[in-house]
Amino acid sequence: MALKVLIAPDKFKGTLTAKQAATAIARGWKAARPVDRMTLLPTSDGGDGFGPLLGKLLGIVLIT
């Protein structure tokens, strides 16, 4: 029986963004259980990375 899986990691500070972490977790999960349906939802605890993550979700363009 296939499962519905929500993958919602924060970043791995200094190594992976939240999106990269979600993708890596999903890749490993799919290797073990290829029939499961996954939803990736990179998240943040409100610290470093919160602004860029929220900006991407909202389609905000950074002006410097």
Side-chain angles (χ1 to χ4, degrees):
M1 177 168 76
L3 300 175
K4 292 181 182 178
V5 180
L6 174 62
I7 299 173
D10 195 354
K11 70 186 171 320
F12 283 57
K13 193 169 187 170
T15 58
L16 298 173
T17 65
K19 182 178 180 181
Q20 291 169 330
T23 301
I25 293 166
R27 190 179 317 119
W29 191 289
K30 188 159 186 72
R33 294 189 48 97
V35 297
D36 290 350
R37 291 185 13 210
M38 291 170 278
T39 300
L40 279 61
L41 181 63
T43 190
S44 171
D45 63 5
D48 294 344
F50 178 71
L53 183 64
L54 186 62
K56 184 165 181 115
L57 290 171
L58 296 175
I60 294 171
V61 176
L62 179 62
I63 300 173
T64 58

